[in-house]
Amino acid sequence: EDYIRKANDGLMALVAELQRRDSEMQSLKRMHDLLQTCTTQEEAYEVIALAADELFPEQNGCLAILHAWDQELETVARWGGQALLKSTFSLEDCWALRRGCPHEVIDPQPGLLCRHFVHRLETCYLCVPLTVQGGTLGLLCLVRADASRDEHQVSQQLLAVTVGETIKLSLSNLRLQEKLREEAIHDPLTGLFNRRYLEETLSRELHRAERGNSPLGVAMLDLDQFKRINDTHGHQTGDEVLRRVARVLQEVPRKIDIPARYGGEEFAVLLDGVDVTQAKAVAERIRIEISKVVVDTEKGPLSVTESIGVSVFPEDGRD
C-alpha cells in the first residue's frame, strides 16, 4: 500500500507538471499569435504584459527596451503589481546586458546585483537580455515574490528564455515593418511626406470632405530660381535649402495640416477645413517664414523665395 501510494503520488505530480507545461505552452502560443497581429510596438507591449502576468503568476516582472539614440533602456511593460525596475537605466546597470547572457541571482545577500532596481531586492531574480543579430534590443526581468527556490525555478528559467526569444523576434519584426512604412511614405531628404502619400491622403480627404460637406484646401509651393541655386552654390547647398524649407512647413501650418514634398523643389500642404480666405492666410504665413530662411554659403548668405498657389474644394474643383 505504501509503495502504491508513493507511485500514485509520483504519477499525480507528473500529471500536474505536464498540465502546467501544457498551460504554459498554450499561453505562449496565444502570446505569439497576438504579437503577430500587432501593428505597433505599443500594442505589443500591452500584449506582453498581459501574457507575462499569465505565464509567471508568482513573479513580478518588467520589459525594458533600448533607445538607440541615447543608449538608455526604458521600462515599457510591467506585471505582477510592483514597479521593480527604474523607468530608465543604462546598459551598464545590468549584468545580463554586460555579459550577453541570462544573469540569475539566487541569494541577494552575497549575489552580484544589477543596479537597475528601484530598491535593493531581498528575493532571487533573473535577467534575460534580448539580443538580435548581435545588437541589444532590450531586457526581460523576473523577480520571485518570495525568497524560496525550488526545482520549479529551473523550468521557469527555461520558460523565461523561451518567452524572451518570442518577444525579441516579434519586436524586431515590428521595428522593421515600421521602418519600411516610414520609408514608403516619407521623403528621405526632407523628412516630409512624399508625393505618393499625399495623393493617397488627398483622395481619402476629398471623399471625407464631400460626405461631410466641408471645405478642403491645398497650397502648392515652388521655390524660385532653384536651378540657379544648384548651379551657383552646388547641390549640397540646394539640399540644405530644401531641408530648411521643409522645417518651415513642419512648423508653420496647423497640426492637422499635412505638408509634403511633391517633387524636386515643389511642395504641397493639405489644409483641412479652410475656405479660400483662410487658405490664402496660411499661404502668406508660409511665404513670410520662408523669406526669413538664410543659408550660409562660401559665396555669402543665401536668401530663399517661393511662389505659392492655393485651391479649395469645392469652389475651385471637385477632384
Side-chain angles (χ1 to χ4, degrees), residues 291-302:
S291 68
K292 298 176 184 178
V293 171
V294 178
V295 178
D296 294 326
T297 71
E298 295 179 355
K299 299 180 180 181
L302 173 66

Side-chain angles (χ1 to χ4, degrees), residues 1-71:
E1 289 178 354
D2 184 58
Y3 173 79
I4 292 173
R5 185 170 58 251
K6 288 181 179 178
N8 184 66
D9 291 344
L11 288 173
M12 293 298 291
L14 180 59
V15 169
E17 176 67 12
L18 290 174
Q19 289 176 337
R20 183 185 62 79
R21 292 194 180 187
D22 180 67
S23 177
E24 289 175 350
M25 291 303 102
Q26 291 296 328
S27 297
L28 190 59
K29 183 180 183 301
R30 281 195 298 272
M31 182 182 75
H32 177 269
D33 292 342
L34 286 170
L35 286 175
Q36 294 304 305
T37 61
C38 291
T39 58
T40 65
Q41 293 186 70
E42 286 69 26
E43 284 182 349
Y45 300 152
E46 293 181 20
V47 169
I48 291 167
L50 291 172
D53 199 30
E54 183 179 330
L55 284 162
F56 306 104
E58 298 178 358
Q59 302 184 59
N60 298 303
C62 300
L63 172 69
I65 296 299
L66 178 67
H67 293 310
W69 57 84
D70 60 3
Q71 291 299 295

Side-chain angles (χ1 to χ4, degrees), residues 188-238:
L189 177 64
T190 63
L192 296 178
F193 290 113
N194 57 23
R195 178 171 178 169
R196 174 185 173 186
Y197 179 83
L198 175 70
E199 291 177 344
E200 291 176 354
T201 304
L202 180 56
S203 176
R204 183 174 63 251
E205 290 301 305
L206 273 171
H207 286 301
R208 188 176 65 83
E210 192 167 21
R211 288 196 306 270
N213 195 28
S214 60
L216 180 68
V218 175
M220 293 289 293
L221 295 76
D222 193 320
L223 298 184
D224 299 329
Q225 305 297 328
F226 187 71
K227 184 178 183 302
R228 182 184 297 176
I229 293 175
N230 278 333
D231 293 343
T232 305
H233 301 281
H235 287 278
Q236 285 188 335
T237 299

Side-chain angles (χ1 to χ4, degrees), residues 11 54 78 88 92 94 97 100 102 109 143 159 171 183 193 198 206 208 237 267 269 297 304 315:
L11 288 173
E54 183 179 330
R78 294 185 175 91
T88 59
E92 298 298 316
C94 182
L97 294 175
Q109 298 306 321
V143 180
L159 177 62
L171 292 181
E183 291 177 351
F193 290 113
L198 175 70
L206 273 171
R208 188 176 65 83
T237 299
F267 298 86
V269 183
T297 71
V304 183
E315 294 97 313

Side-chain angles (χ1 to χ4, degrees), residues 259-290:
R261 185 182 180 190
Y262 196 70
E265 71 275 21
E266 297 175 326
F267 298 86
V269 183
L270 190 58
L271 306 169
D272 185 39
V274 299
D275 56 26
V276 174
T277 301
Q278 293 168 326
K280 287 181 179 179
V282 173
E284 179 63 10
R285 288 203 304 273
I286 293 173
R287 185 196 67 78
I288 292 172
E289 291 303 315
I290 290 179

